[in-house]
């Protein structure tokens, strides 16, 4: 909100700023501004670890108790792929010293920090284009949208060092779209001792929780993460709490291996993986990664799981198991199994009443039919389906989540879950760049 429209949001009886003290002004804002942020339109934007492009969702949330059956309406959606050059730069920035292999044009950066600044601006321009296209296609005026929630692109996530870097210039988006932007969602949680991730479980709880049934939300993006929504979980100490954390790699490794060996951005439907065989000794070796043994709260990313790590593991496996023969398709099958087993082991350990439980999958991995079948195998007593069964297509869950997170910010409501991130307390997340 800008200073010029503050007058219109103050109660009628308050006409002289000189008569206001801080407490009175704060009460006035809480009674007017935050209420006005409740039921308006929000745009959520997300480009995940897979770096396949940007998803944007135009949403309206309801605060009415009479409308509890439809707490969110998805009004319009739009996706756009990154340009090959921007994607190349983003991928390079995700790896320490990765920009050394970039070929700079005369007017482009030469150092990692300069590339970060260049990409932040380009990402902002790209996100603005996505928003404006979404508004044009949906015939919605920018004035009707209260805020954009944009996560930005994570290029470094180091919770053990107390920081997480999301590349984005929110000022560009606010200027190009004339809509206020909420970004930088992770660092406030980290300031109070949290991992800054995962953030989406709070949204899962708000939209999908069912007091009568245990529900698991499994997001299969570049990294897999779970949210357990249950009143009765196996550990009595976490009864009635939401549990959520990263379980390991998903599309990140699957896409990288497919790109390297069959020159495709992803393994459509998991068909290539299905043509191979799981190499059990290799799978067991990959599961020895220290991340899998960590207790939650925990989060991970490209820093832990990447193509260099996989190549080193394959080299170690070849040296120790010279008699084992496998194909590149077998590796893809094994990586698919790694995703399924690492997630399902955690689900089985937390859900006590499996016969009354359902697993709902979202993210790009939900369209991988072979991976979906591999998820069902370790969960014979759970129903495994996508979030489409809950009324929200799996492609749009994370984008909608950041629309909801932006709303929480403008409402002055907390949106981290300390039981999930490990934070000492709940806090309001995000920085606001007003249009």
């Amino acid at each position: 909100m800008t200073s010029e429209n503050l007058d219109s949001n103050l109660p009628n009886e308050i006409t002289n700023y000189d008569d206001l003290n801080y407490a009175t002004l704060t009460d006035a804002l809480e009674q007017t501004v935050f209420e006005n942020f409740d039921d308006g339109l929000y745009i959520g934007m997300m480009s995940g670890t897979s770096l396949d492009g940007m998803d944007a969702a135009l949403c309206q949330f309801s605060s009415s108790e009479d409308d509890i059956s439809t707490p969110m309406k998805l009004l319009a959606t739009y996706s756009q792929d990154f340009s090959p050059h921007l994607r190349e730069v983003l991928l390079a920035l995700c790896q320490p010293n990765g920009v050394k292999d970039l070929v700079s044009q005369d007017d482009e950066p030469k150092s990692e920090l300069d590339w970060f600044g260049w990409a932040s601006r380009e990402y902002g321009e790209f996100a603005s284009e996505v928003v404006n296209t979404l508004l044009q296609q949906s015939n919605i005026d920018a004035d009707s949208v209260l805020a954009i929630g944009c996560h930005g692109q994570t290029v470094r996530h180091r919770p053990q060092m107390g920081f997480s870097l999301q590349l984005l210039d929110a000022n560009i988006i606010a200027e190009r779209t004339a809509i206020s932007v909420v970004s930088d969602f992770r660092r406030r949680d980290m300031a109070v001792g949290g991992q800054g991730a995962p953030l989406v479980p709070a949204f899962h709880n708000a939209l999908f929780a069912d007091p009568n049934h245990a529900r698991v939300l499994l997001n299969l993006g570049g990294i897999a993460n779970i949210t357990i929504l249950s009143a009765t979980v196996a550990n009595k100490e976490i009864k009635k709490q939401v549990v959520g954390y990263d379980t390991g790699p998903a599309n990140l490794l699957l896409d990288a291996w497919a790109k390297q060996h069959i020159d495709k951005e992803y393994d459509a439907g998991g068909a290539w993986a299905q043509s191979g065989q799981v190499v059990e000794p290799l799978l067991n070796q990959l599961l020895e990664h220290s991340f899998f043994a960590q207790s939650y709260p925990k989060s991970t990313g490209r820093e832990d799981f990447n193509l260099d790590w996989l190549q080193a593991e394959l080299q170690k496996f070849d040296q120790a198991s010279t008699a084992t023969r496998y194909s590149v398709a077998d590796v893809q099958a094994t990586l698919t199994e790694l995703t399924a087993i690492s997630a399902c082991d955690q689900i089985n350990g937390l859900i006590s009443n499996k016969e009354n439980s359902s697993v709902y999958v979202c993210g790009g991995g939900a369209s991988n039919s072979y991976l979906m079948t591999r998820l069902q195998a370790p969960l014979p007593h759970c129903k495994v389906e996508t979030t489409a069964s809950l009324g929200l297509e799996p492609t749009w869950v994370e984008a909608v989540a950041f629309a909801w997170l932006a709303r929480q910010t403008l409402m002055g409501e907390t949106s981290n879950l300390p039981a999930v991130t490990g934070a000492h307390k709940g806090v309001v997340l995000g920085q606001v760049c007003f249009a």
Side-chain angles (χ1 to χ4, degrees):
M1 171 159 291
T2 58
S3 58
E4 56 218 31
N5 59 12
L6 176 61
D7 290 329
S8 64
N9 285 279
L10 290 173
N12 293 332
E13 64 270 16
I14 300 178
T15 58
N16 187 347
Y17 289 117
D18 294 335
D19 295 336
L20 286 173
N21 58 32
Y22 178 79
T24 304
L25 181 58
T26 301
D27 289 343
L29 286 171
E30 288 180 350
Q31 293 169 14
T32 56
V33 176
F34 286 152
E35 288 179 5
N36 292 340
F37 288 149
D38 208 1
D39 297 325
L41 303 184
Y42 290 86
I43 292 175
M45 308 187 75
M46 185 64 183
S47 61
T49 315
S50 296
L51 276 168
D52 48 0
M54 179 84 74
D55 295 329
L58 177 65
C59 312
Q60 183 170 30
F61 300 94
S62 173
S63 62
S64 171
E65 294 183 0
D66 297 332
D67 200 22
I68 194 169
S69 61
T70 55
M72 187 279 299
K73 295 178 182 177
L74 182 59
L75 304 179
T77 60
Y78 179 68
S79 288
Q80 186 170 325
D81 292 343
F82 288 118
S83 69
H85 185 45
L86 178 56
R87 185 173 191 272
E88 178 189 27
V89 174
L90 293 174
L91 282 168
L93 286 167
C94 286
Q95 297 298 325
N97 304 312
V99 299
K100 68 182 185 301
D101 296 325
L102 293 175
V103 178
S104 299
Q105 303 299 320
D106 291 340
D107 58 344
E108 289 186 332
K110 302 297 187 290
S111 70
E112 187 168 52
L113 192 57
D114 288 343
W115 272 118
F116 183 94
W118 179 92
S120 296
R121 185 177 181 86
E122 288 296 312
Y123 187 99
E125 297 285 4
F126 173 75
S128 302
E129 180 183 337
V130 170
V131 169
N132 288 328
T133 302
L134 172 67
L135 293 176
Q136 182 180 17
Q137 291 186 353
S138 58
N139 198 28
I140 297 290
D141 292 331
D143 289 344
S144 301
V145 181
L146 294 174
I148 298 165
C150 187
H151 174 264
Q153 187 63 50
T154 300
V155 294
R156 201 74 84 247
H157 183 63
R158 300 289 196 193
Q160 69 276 16
M161 299 175 66
F163 76 87
S164 186
L165 292 180
Q166 280 68 52
L167 176 152
L168 167 68
D169 188 342
N171 300 278
I172 296 290
I173 305 177
E175 187 62 30
R176 302 290 185 266
T177 65
I179 302 171
S180 297
V181 179
V182 186
S183 61
D184 193 14
F185 289 95
R186 298 192 184 276
R187 291 194 295 175
R188 184 61 190 277
D189 179 80
M190 302 185 94
V192 291
Q195 296 254 330
L199 297 178
V200 178
F203 166 73
H204 290 162
N205 186 48
L207 196 69
F208 297 128
D210 183 340
N212 300 314
H213 299 91
R215 286 179 172 176
V216 179
L217 276 294
L218 172 58
N219 177 51
L220 295 175
I223 296 294
N225 51 68
I226 57 171
T227 304
I228 309 292
L229 303 174
S230 173
T232 54
V233 292
N235 184 345
K236 300 301 183 182
E237 295 181 359
I238 55 176
K239 186 176 182 179
K240 295 185 180 180
Q241 285 188 347
V242 178
V243 178
Y245 52 92
D246 291 349
T247 60
N251 299 328
L252 188 159
L253 291 178
L254 293 172
D255 292 352
W257 192 252
K259 180 63 176 177
Q260 184 176 72
H261 292 282
I262 59 174
D263 196 26
K264 293 183 178 179
E265 298 301 328
Y266 60 94
D267 179 14
W272 184 43
Q274 192 169 8
S275 72
Q277 299 291 325
V278 174
V279 184
E280 292 289 345
L282 175 60
L283 173 64
N284 293 334
Q285 177 185 310
L286 298 179
L287 286 168
E288 291 174 1
H289 191 294
S290 61
F291 175 79
F292 298 118
Q294 292 176 22
S295 57
Y296 61 86
K298 61 179 181 177
S299 55
T300 188
R302 287 184 180 273
E303 298 81 6
D304 294 322
F305 297 100
N306 51 63
L307 204 54
D308 288 342
W309 169 78
L310 178 59
Q311 297 285 14
E313 289 295 317
L314 290 172
Q315 184 177 10
K316 182 169 67 173
F317 180 75
D318 291 341
Q319 292 172 349
S321 308
T322 55
T324 303
R325 296 289 181 264
Y326 59 87
S327 67
V328 290
D330 294 339
V331 174
Q332 188 76 351
T334 305
L335 293 175
T336 304
E337 198 72 5
L338 175 68
T339 299
I341 291 295
S342 56
C344 292
D345 280 354
Q346 299 301 308
I347 294 170
N348 278 321
L350 287 171
I351 295 295
S352 57
N353 184 8
K354 297 178 178 60
E355 288 75 12
N356 195 35
S357 303
S358 298
V359 176
Y360 297 95
V361 182
C362 57
S367 61
N368 186 327
S369 55
Y370 177 62
L371 177 54
M372 291 291 287
T373 63
R374 299 315 305 153
L375 289 167
Q376 184 67 80
L379 301 169
H381 302 295
C382 291
K383 181 171 61 175
V384 178
E385 51 193 334
T386 75
T387 54
S389 301
L390 299 177
L392 183 56
E393 290 295 326
T395 305
W396 305 112
V397 172
E398 284 204 302
V400 173
F402 280 91
W404 181 85
L405 285 165
R407 176 176 176 265
Q408 290 293 101
T409 303
L410 295 192
M411 291 284 292
E413 299 286 347
T414 62
S415 51
N416 66 327
L417 293 176
V420 170
T421 67
H424 304 318
K425 62 179 181 178
V427 289
V428 179
L429 304 179
Q431 301 284 333
V432 184
C433 182
F434 289 103

